[in-house]
Amino acid sequence: MADERFEPKIIAFLCNWCSYRAADLAGTARIKYEPNIRMLRVMCSGRVDPSFVLKAFALGADGVMIAGCHPGECHYLEQNYKTMRRFSMLKHTLQAMGMEDDRVRLQWASAAEGVLLAGAINEMIEQVRALGPLDWPKNWSENGNIEEAIEQLVEEHAEAMEVPV
Amino acid sequence: MAERVGVYICHCGSNIAGKVDVEDVSQWAGEELDNVVISRDYEFMCSSLGQELIEDDIKNEGLTRVVVGACSPHLHERTFRKACSNAGLNPYLCQMASLREQVSWVTEDEALATAKSKAMISGAVERVQLHEELEPTEVPVNPHSLVVGGGIAGIQTALELANSGNPVILVEREPSIGGHMAQFDKTFPTLDCSACILTPNMSDVSSHPNITLLSYSEVEEVTGFVGNFHVRIRKKARYVIEEDCTGCGICIEKCPKSVIDEVFEAGIGYRKSIYRPFPQAVPKYPVLDAETCIYFEKGTCKACEKFCPTNAIDFEQKDTFIDIDVGNIILATGYDTFDSRKIPQYGYGRLANVFTSLEFERLCNAAGPTNGHIVLRDGVTTPKSVAIIHCVGSRDTRFNAHCSAVCCMSALKFGHLVIEKTGAEVHSFYTDMRPSFKDYEEFYNRLLEEGMHFTRGRVAEVTEAALQPGEEGKLIIQVEDTLIGRQRRIPVDMVILMTALEPKPDAREVGLKFGISCSMAGWFTERHPKLDPVATMTDGIFIAGACQGPKDIPASVSQGAAAAARVLGMIMKGAVEIEPIVATIHEERCSGCRICNTLCPFNAIDYLEDKMVSVINQALCKGCGTCVAACPAQAITGAHYSNEQIFAEIEGLLFDVVQGNGAKPVVEEPEAVPA
Ligand SMILES: Cc1cc2nc3c(=O)[nH]c(=O)nc-3n(C[C@H](O)[C@H](O)[C@H](O)COP(=O)(O)OP(=O)(O)OC[C@H]3O[C@@H](n4cnc5c(N)ncnc54)[C@H](O)[C@@H]3O)c2cc1C
Ligand code: SF4
Ligand code: SF4
Ligand code: FES
């Protein structure tokens, strides 16, 4: 067991218009990447409810990637800016729960960036492999800064949802 | 009742089967996955035989859900949805797994590829069972079209549509249509007189019974959706009553105020305060420019009014708004040129005899301020030597990374005109010579024969500082000739800067108004760079000409015609199907917080004051799902991408983790927990 390499499972949410097409392109161009990633299609990165990410972790994923069009290139004009804000909020939530930063990743990939996407996938798999399996509930209870983090969360939540605090 | 799922694994010849053990995957799915009643593998699922396989199973085995593990859904989702509907199954009850693009083509190891394929099939099987029947809605297409921008691209689109018998509204911001082409003297590579080929098309626009031309106008607001747009147009006050004006031009003659024409004459010629940019302007009615008019400034003058034989001048005129309904919109808003002042080493604005390319176009135009005489800024001296600097603001990461595509050819055109009209020596300083299209290379050869000099190298500086004999009173080009690896100084009388083509400064704003996006640089983004160059991601909005990227006149005209053909297709079909992938708010769950209201870029969400809930106009919703993710009350569902469907897919994708392998799920699904 000790010398067996840890194979993380990573769930990726890809927007239909850029990132899913980047994955298509990586395929057409026969760019190889590690098979530890399992992809889901959403219409826009803006559809990714933070609860999807939590669900994936809860079901045993070791890492989650959200991929969308570059800022300014979202098919729905500006929704990935909302993804961006939501993502930073999510990151803080996860930090508060004791999760390592590298387990979630927001990746911009245009339909032309198959190579970039494949590279990002490999990089993330490597990082998560180095972290080892997610031992979530244990870490959570040991984290000291929960209160501070939660306070910050409330603020960010308001911002991400575009309501004046 | 449990669903009856059919699973179909495609070999795609050896594309998938060469890497993935397709028999194993299909057998495994049939045995291990709940509710899978049939699981098959087949050589080419997309072939008619493959499709028949699905159709027969739906009919004979009573399948209620279909999963196809094949290529990317972007390729064949439509094919398999159609197969389902042929057999009487709602097309949205089908789900694809991209075993080719996401597994066989990108994975090295065969065993791991097979394992990943199983996870993806499992995700699709879990998800598809929660799919709902959806019906695309059909909406009629209004046969009226709106063309925005009356350059050569917009003119072409308008004429094509109008000639096919359909009504067109053409909106142009400037007083006249014609765009940049109207400013040119000759066009490369044939050296046709620009006006001779452009003005007949312009007058066709003005006299066409199917075209309504609104010049000096702009689109204020666009609402609605494909087939049914509502557009509000602001018609700026021109202080001339169009119905009464005969276009005689007496007012222009009598107006005592001359101002520099920064637009049409590129700043090197004059116009009156009441003016037509050029004699063949379409429409023929002049525009009174209130900013410079003596009457608006001082309260007296009204020379134009006094002399107008038909009393067509109206100083009280106000902007008016026109509301129209159209089915499709074509944007042909063109380009702008780079501001050469941003490269101070080239001296534009400081050294009198440095000209921009557009200034030079006016200078050699027979109808321009010098009647076509190529002279220095003093207005009389003919240059004996001329330098043409390429790539000014293009292929320069400080300004524009792109190649402006037309400047090499324009430079050759200028070289020819200078040689023909003045006999001067002409030096081109180029980065790479790019005469790419039909007859362009031949034109370059012709200029080599005509004696134009070519130096390969980026000009470092244009300076007046004479260092050597023969440089006094000249503009000296300091450049490294990269072909011989030597610094050179070349004294000339006149310098022409081939300024980059750039997106319109307001392109992003205009894009937002019409709901389409721009590239980083600001060019409008096409739906597909190769296969769908004139459509955009927003149905019913098309683009043509240089607003999509730098291009020459033939390419702009081709795009104009292509956009018209696309629109005609929609008009002839009479109706469009709207994807049913939209969001819905469940009134009873909505708290009325209005968070979603501002999130939607298409303004699809309204707040009902009386009921105190929000509601989505499904015709406007494009189905991005952002509001679905944002609603704190979970009152919004996204069709085909509901939370439940996505959760099920995640669970399926992680089947091997969920079902053990040591790692237990933290949050247990009720049915997965053994008592
Ligand atoms: C110096 C120079 C020389 C050139 N010489 C040649 C040549 O010899 N041969 C050749 O093939 N090509 C040549 N070109 C390229 C040529 O100019 C373009 O290919 C062509 O003009 C593109 O046409 P267009 O209709 O797309 O854009 P434009 O000509 O830019 O027309 C756009 C029109 O849209 C209007 N508009 C813009 N925004 C709005 C708005 N929001 N609402 C309403 N109206 C709007 C503008 O007022 C304008 O009338 C040259 C370019 C330059 C810079
Ligand atoms: S966010 Fe949800 S609860 Fe708030 S108004 Fe919109 S639908 Fe209603
Ligand atoms: S799904 Fe997107 S487009 Fe539809 S109403 Fe919600 S935010 Fe607007
Ligand atoms: S569509 Fe790709 S991020 Fe919005």
Side-chain angles (χ1 to χ4, degrees), chain B residues 585 589-597 614 630-633 635-636:
Chain B
I585 296 179
R589 269 184 267 158
C590 171
S591 68
C593 71
R594 306 182 69 165
I595 282 174
C596 57
N597 293 195
S614 295
C631 173
I636 315 183

Side-chain angles (χ1 to χ4, degrees), chain B residues 76-287:
Chain B
H76 274 307
E77 190 166 54
R78 208 174 282 173
T79 311
F80 296 116
R81 280 185 176 169
K82 195 152 166 285
C84 290
S85 77
N86 285 345
L89 191 67
N90 184 287
Y92 291 86
L93 301 181
C94 168
Q95 173 74 10
M96 286 187 77
S98 176
L99 299 189
R100 194 178 70 176
E101 279 78 354
Q102 289 181 21
V103 186
S104 66
W105 275 350
V106 295
T107 311
E108 300 276 11
D109 184 275
E110 293 180 13
L112 293 177
T114 304
K116 183 174 176 184
S117 301
K118 287 180 182 170
M120 293 181 56
I121 295 298
S122 156
V125 168
E126 292 298 328
R127 180 191 216 283
V128 80
Q129 299 186 55
L130 299 180
H131 279 197
E132 284 173 357
E133 295 193 357
L134 298 172
E135 298 293 342
T137 30
E138 270 219 344
V139 294
V141 173
N142 184 330
H144 290 72
S145 305
L146 168 68
V147 178
V148 183
I152 190 61
I155 289 175
Q156 186 73 25
T157 311
L159 286 175
E160 298 272 0
L161 286 168
N163 287 340
S164 73
N166 291 290
V168 180
I169 296 103
L170 175 57
V171 172
E172 165 59 51
R173 170 183 283 172
E174 298 296 328
S176 170
I177 58 171
H180 282 98
M181 194 176 166
Q183 294 173 281
F184 305 158
D185 182 39
K186 295 272 168 30
T187 55
F188 61 72
T190 47
L191 300 172
D192 294 284
C193 144
S194 191
C196 312
I197 54 179
L198 174 67
T199 47
N201 284 3
M202 288 169 58
S203 41
D204 280 357
V205 166
S206 81
S207 62
H208 207 296
N210 290 335
I211 299 181
T212 310
L213 173 59
L214 298 172
S215 73
Y216 211 47
S217 302
E218 274 185 63
V219 172
E220 278 285 300
E221 198 189 358
V222 183
T223 55
F225 48 91
V226 55
N228 305 272
F229 291 106
H230 315 294
V231 184
R232 166 158 284 207
I233 296 161
R234 177 196 289 270
K235 200 162 184 305
K236 291 176 274 190
R238 68 198 305 151
Y239 305 102
V240 171
I241 303 164
E242 293 178 13
E243 294 72 40
D244 297 339
C245 172
T246 60
C248 67
I250 291 177
C251 55
I252 302 175
E253 225 170 85
K254 299 295 176 188
C255 174
K257 179 82 178 268
S258 277
V259 294
I260 292 178
D261 184 348
E262 296 288 353
V263 181
F264 188 78
E265 295 294 4
I268 65 162
Y270 292 88
R271 62 163 169 83
K272 295 292 186 64
S273 268
I274 187 163
Y275 71 108
R276 255 190 311 242
F278 50 106
Q280 310 95 321
V282 167
K284 59 186 186 236
Y285 325 114
V287 161

Side-chain angles (χ1 to χ4, degrees), chain B residues 431-449:
Chain B
T431 322
D432 294 292
M433 188 54 69
R434 293 181 164 174
S436 315
F437 296 108
K438 187 175 175 185
D439 293 337
Y440 286 10
E441 182 72 18
E442 291 86 333
F443 190 66
Y444 173 39
N445 290 333
R446 174 170 169 190
L447 265 296
L448 284 168
E449 273 165 31

Side-chain angles (χ1 to χ4, degrees), chain B residues 343-386:
Chain B
I343 307 184
Q345 307 88 288
Y346 289 172
Y348 180 72
R350 179 165 51 85
L351 305 174
N353 290 317
V354 177
F355 290 79
T356 66
S357 49
L358 279 182
E359 284 178 334
F360 185 79
E361 285 287 357
R362 296 309 299 151
L363 203 58
C364 60
N365 192 310
T370 60
N371 299 322
H373 296 298
I374 298 174
V375 287
L376 300 182
R377 288 266 182 210
D378 63 10
V380 288
T381 317
T382 305
K384 295 199 171 56
S385 52
V386 177

Side-chain angles (χ1 to χ4, degrees), chain B residues 298-378:
Chain B
K298 303 217 172 89
T300 59
C301 179
K302 294 200 168 182
C304 49
E305 191 184 58
K306 283 181 209 118
F307 287 98
C308 174
T310 58
N311 289 325
I313 307 286
D314 174 8
F315 285 97
E316 304 302 315
Q317 212 177 54
K318 296 270 174 300
D319 290 3
T320 48
F321 291 94
I322 300 170
D323 290 314
I324 54 165
D325 288 344
V326 295
N328 291 282
I329 299 174
I330 301 95
L331 297 181
T333 51
Y335 65 94
D336 252 353
T337 48
F338 174 73
D339 174 7
S340 307
R341 287 184 183 83
K342 290 187 191 158
I343 307 184
Q345 307 88 288
Y346 289 172
Y348 180 72
R350 179 165 51 85
L351 305 174
N353 290 317
V354 177
F355 290 79
T356 66
S357 49
L358 279 182
E359 284 178 334
F360 185 79
E361 285 287 357
R362 296 309 299 151
L363 203 58
C364 60
N365 192 310
T370 60
N371 299 322
H373 296 298
I374 298 174
V375 287
L376 300 182
R377 288 266 182 210
D378 63 10

